[in-house]
Amino acid sequence: FAFLHGGAGSGCSTVGKVLGALLLKLGVLSTGQVVEVTRKELLAGCSGGDVEARLKKVVRAAEGGVLLLSDAELLKDSERSDRLGEEAVVALGKTLESMKGATEWPQRFCMVLAGKRGDLTKFMTEQPGVASAVFAKFEFSDLAAIDVARILRRIVEENKFQLAKELTDEKLEVLIRRRIARGGGGGSENAAKNVRLAKAMLEEAVSRQT
């Protein structure tokens, strides 16, 4: 059971997806597939009492591989009454408790929680039944501006676009530093950062030309 957290767009979910193949190669898992789910997908169409059955269905699909819960800090809203979210947390705790002390090898599956730095830490503090199952914790740092510039150039090429020849990595870096300084263009804690900033800048450039 792993806990990945970092700034938005820093690669937590992406690394979670890569873990399946890595753990398969190491013999920890038997199949290595990655089943990704968010709160919205897990609780869609659920009413009271349905959540545990839905989670069990998702777990069965992930057996032998990785169950990746993205934006895990959103699973339960701690600021208001959230019955379905509470059911989801309880069901998750039961699932993890049932796996404690398991000696089977390869492992039944690997659970990964990925989310935003701070918010996910708060969620884990509020949910000790889930937190107690964590044995690996990884924190992802925000990318440097030059790294975002290189990623932007790569996704431009992948999307069959071209940057102006005079737009070097160094000039891109300056543009990105300016965007980061003003909050990724959003001016708030939810502003685009890291890989998301690179994608946002490409989308904006394309929209200006269409």
Side-chain angles (χ1 to χ4, degrees), residues 120-180:
L120 186 52
T121 299
K122 180 173 181 288
F123 171 81
M124 299 295 275
T125 300
E126 294 171 346
Q127 308 300 334
V130 176
S132 64
V134 173
F135 69 83
K137 176 180 176 181
F138 304 92
E139 180 167 358
F140 293 73
S141 301
D142 288 334
L143 300 176
I146 187 62
D147 295 322
V148 177
R150 290 166 179 161
I151 290 170
L152 175 56
R153 185 175 295 282
R154 180 173 177 176
I155 63 176
V156 165
E157 294 172 353
E158 289 176 348
N159 284 275
K160 310 301 181 184
F161 294 112
Q162 288 185 333
L163 294 174
K165 291 182 179 179
E166 62 271 19
L167 196 56
T168 62
D169 283 349
E170 290 72 22
K171 290 181 178 179
L172 273 178
E173 181 182 3
V174 171
L175 290 175
I176 289 164
R177 286 187 183 281
R178 290 174 181 169
R179 285 292 295 269
I180 293 173

Side-chain angles (χ1 to χ4, degrees), residues 20 36 61 83 87 108 195:
E36 182 178 12
R83 182 168 52 87
E87 284 189 28
R108 182 181 165 199
V195 177

